[in-house]
Amino acid sequence: MLLEVNHLKTEFQLKHGTVKAVDDISFSLNKGEILAIVGESGSGKSVTSLSVMGLVQEPGEVTGGEILFKGEDLLKKNKSEMQAIRGDQISMIFQEPMTSLNPVYRIKDQIMESIMTHMKLSKKEAWERAVHMLDIVGIPSPAERAKDYPHQMSGGMRQRVMTAMALSCRPELLIADEPTTALDVTIQAQILDLLYHMREKFNMAVLLITHDLGVVSEAADRVIVMYCGKIVEEADVRTLFEETMHPYTLGLLRSIPRLEDESEEPLYMIKGMVPNPLKMPTGCAFSDRCDKCMDRCRREMPELIERNGHKVRCFLYENEPEEAEKHE
């Protein structure tokens, strides 16, 4: 087991109340595995990744649980110990490459800084490695492009630079936060293919944060679906798509446009909005948007239960399987 997260809680203490961005979640990630975390904006995906990296900023704070990386709790590491781990054993591709890359430094300087810090190489060796990494991620004329500034590159190129930077020290765990957002379909496919190739090349685990189930179907081995800070469903990717259980996951899948669909009806849309995190409803957070909502759902929060390795947080599956079939 490379990464094991147990009962993680991350909260933001705001003027008008407390936001439970990550509310008691647990999951694990094996070496060489790609685990996707999906959900709408505000579901807690990115805060989960930032909690693992130790990058949650005030007024946010990890208030409970443990994050075990190779058996050691990252939450017990001090600032210097986490700095030694970040960029070396654990790396992250941030959501927006244009704001993540420093606009006043050349590409080579930003990649070489990480290499020289963690691998203790000379400037010449760091330069050679930086060029090599740019070549690996598919940037043409890497020695020339390494001298460019971020604004001189396209969005796809900048995303490749972020990937090269994250992989430069050959991390054991790569966290990719929305790595294909705002990219056209062709570049999306190239980035996903690159991540898959790097996983195979370095036997690296990948925690993929995304809202796009199309991306998940192409890249992931297992999937976690989050809603309002909680895990509502977890399964291997094939099971999730073929035997969807939670109404929220079903709504996300039904919202995907399909070329073979010749219906003239409007594309399905989950009704309502994600609730205000400062005014969370009693019971299941999805109850007001759920087509299968029962009275009990508005009063109680269902537990995350497991059926044949498939986890779901829904009262429809709490009793016998026949109970769920009545509501299908």
Side-chain angles (χ1 to χ4, degrees), residues 68-120:
L68 302 178
F69 179 68
K70 297 195 294 187
E72 297 185 5
D73 192 352
L74 297 181
L75 298 179
K76 295 180 180 178
K77 301 286 186 182
N78 59 37
K79 186 176 180 179
S80 61
E81 289 173 331
M82 280 304 299
Q83 286 177 338
I85 292 173
R86 281 195 299 264
D88 184 16
Q89 299 176 60
I90 305 176
S91 285
M92 186 168 181
I93 302 174
F94 291 93
Q95 188 167 345
E96 177 47 63
M98 195 60 211
T99 56
S100 300
L101 292 169
N102 193 318
V104 300
Y105 286 99
R106 298 181 190 274
I107 296 301
K108 67 181 181 68
D109 297 321
Q110 301 188 55
I111 300 178
M112 288 169 62
E113 180 184 14
S114 176
I115 295 171
M116 293 172 69
T117 298
H118 295 291
M119 303 187 76
K120 310 300 181 185

Side-chain angles (χ1 to χ4, degrees), residues 93-305:
I93 302 174
F94 291 93
Q95 188 167 345
E96 177 47 63
M98 195 60 211
T99 56
S100 300
L101 292 169
N102 193 318
V104 300
Y105 286 99
R106 298 181 190 274
I107 296 301
K108 67 181 181 68
D109 297 321
Q110 301 188 55
I111 300 178
M112 288 169 62
E113 180 184 14
S114 176
I115 295 171
M116 293 172 69
T117 298
H118 295 291
M119 303 187 76
K120 310 300 181 185
L121 299 181
S122 67
K123 194 170 184 178
K124 181 177 182 297
E125 291 170 327
W127 159 254
E128 292 173 349
R129 184 163 184 80
V131 171
H132 176 62
M133 291 308 301
L134 291 175
D135 183 46
I136 284 180
V137 299
I139 291 183
S141 305
E144 294 301 317
R145 299 312 302 268
K147 301 173 185 176
D148 288 347
Y149 289 94
H151 74 272
Q152 294 176 282
M153 291 185 160
S154 66
M157 285 292 186
R158 290 194 296 267
Q159 194 66 286
R160 288 173 183 269
V161 168
M162 288 294 298
T163 303
M165 190 183 303
L167 297 174
S168 60
C169 297
R170 297 193 178 180
E172 296 177 66
L173 170 61
L174 174 68
I175 300 175
D177 188 2
E178 301 279 9
T180 59
T181 297
L183 300 179
D184 63 58
V185 177
T186 303
I187 301 300
Q188 279 189 20
Q190 291 175 357
I191 294 296
L192 290 177
D193 185 63
L194 175 63
L195 288 178
Y196 195 84
H197 175 68
M198 293 297 104
R199 187 272 293 263
E200 295 295 313
K201 186 178 181 67
F202 300 125
N203 193 29
M204 174 183 66
V206 180
L207 185 61
L208 177 64
I209 312 294
T210 183
H211 65 275
D212 191 337
L213 283 169
V215 169
V216 170
S217 66
E218 291 291 328
D221 299 310
R222 284 192 300 120
V223 188
I224 287 173
V225 182
M226 289 187 68
Y227 187 77
C228 291
K230 287 187 176 292
I231 294 175
V232 296
E233 188 163 5
E234 179 180 349
D236 67 83
V237 66
R238 183 170 182 176
T239 300
L240 188 89
F241 278 79
E242 295 181 356
E243 301 174 23
T244 312
M245 296 176 76
H246 200 280
Y248 176 60
T249 312
L250 185 61
L252 293 177
L253 288 170
R254 290 178 63 189
S255 301
I256 301 174
R258 291 174 173 80
L259 291 175
E260 66 271 16
D261 189 359
E262 298 180 357
S263 172
E264 296 182 1
E265 294 183 4
L267 185 66
Y268 177 82
M269 182 175 66
I270 302 174
K271 65 182 181 181
M273 300 285 289
V274 176
N276 184 335
L278 290 171
K279 299 178 181 178
M280 293 296 292
T282 304
C284 176
F286 189 63
S287 59
D288 289 341
R289 308 177 71 190
C290 182
D291 296 329
K292 301 177 182 179
C293 178
M294 302 176 287
D295 290 340
R296 185 183 180 187
C297 302
R298 302 184 188 279
R299 300 191 307 267
E300 305 173 39
M301 172 62 72
E303 297 294 325
L304 189 66
I305 60 173

Side-chain angles (χ1 to χ4, degrees), residues 10-43:
T10 303
E11 300 178 351
F12 289 79
Q13 302 293 336
L14 304 179
K15 181 179 179 180
H16 299 292
T18 300
V19 173
K20 296 181 179 180
V22 177
D23 191 6
D24 194 16
I25 71 168
S26 300
F27 63 89
S28 60
L29 179 59
N30 295 313
K31 197 165 187 177
E33 182 181 32
I34 298 180
L35 172 65
I37 301 181
V38 301
E40 294 171 284
S41 296
S43 62

